[in-house]
Amino acid sequence: MEATRKTSGPTDSVTVKERFCGADYSLFEIQGIDSEGIEVPTADELVAVLVKNGTILGLANGDPADLDGYNCQEKKLFSGKLMAIIKKEPGKVPLIQAALKKVE
């Protein structure tokens, strides 16, 4: 069996995956993907984030040069990723929505 590698295209959208689910908090990973669903490791686009049944405590991208703080509504991807820290509402499952934000 031959191994193959496929290079990603430009960032088309984002995916959201829950990475940690605690009693009071959840962590969600937001990943840039291209039109074929391939992860884009160089994605640095601005992402807008909304949550229902919870509160965004912060958005973090791991970029040491990013001085924007932990803005709770939008943040740029760094190396294709972004983390959302969510405080849950008691007894409810947080629903998170993320999308690329067009910068004019």
Side-chain angles (χ1 to χ4, degrees), residues 19-38:
R19 292 298 185 191
F20 172 79
C21 180
D24 298 320
Y25 302 94
S26 289
L27 296 177
F28 291 88
E29 178 186 78
I30 300 165
Q31 170 79 50
I33 59 171
D34 69 7
S35 61
E36 295 183 29
I38 299 171

Side-chain angles (χ1 to χ4, degrees), residues 71-84:
N71 183 321
C72 289
Q73 294 180 350
E74 57 188 42
K75 190 96 170 148
K76 285 183 118 184
L77 296 168
F78 177 67
S79 295
K81 296 184 180 182
L82 174 66
M83 293 296 291

Side-chain angles (χ1 to χ4, degrees), residues 31-66:
Q31 170 79 50
I33 59 171
D34 69 7
S35 61
E36 295 183 29
I38 299 171
E39 294 180 357
V40 181
T42 57
D44 63 355
E45 286 79 12
L46 187 63
V47 176
V49 180
L50 298 172
V51 69
K52 185 175 181 180
N53 300 333
T55 304
I56 301 172
L57 295 180
L59 301 174
N61 61 14
D63 183 355
D66 184 350

Side-chain angles (χ1 to χ4, degrees), residues 80-97:
K81 296 184 180 182
L82 174 66
M83 293 296 291
I85 303 124
I86 309 297
K87 181 172 179 21
K88 298 177 182 180
E89 288 182 6
K92 296 186 178 180
V93 176
L95 302 172
I96 188 167
Q97 184 179 28

Side-chain angles (χ1 to χ4, degrees), residues 7-21:
T7 303
S8 65
T11 308
D12 182 64
S13 62
V14 293
T15 60
V16 179
K17 297 177 187 170
E18 188 174 43
R19 292 298 185 191
F20 172 79
C21 180

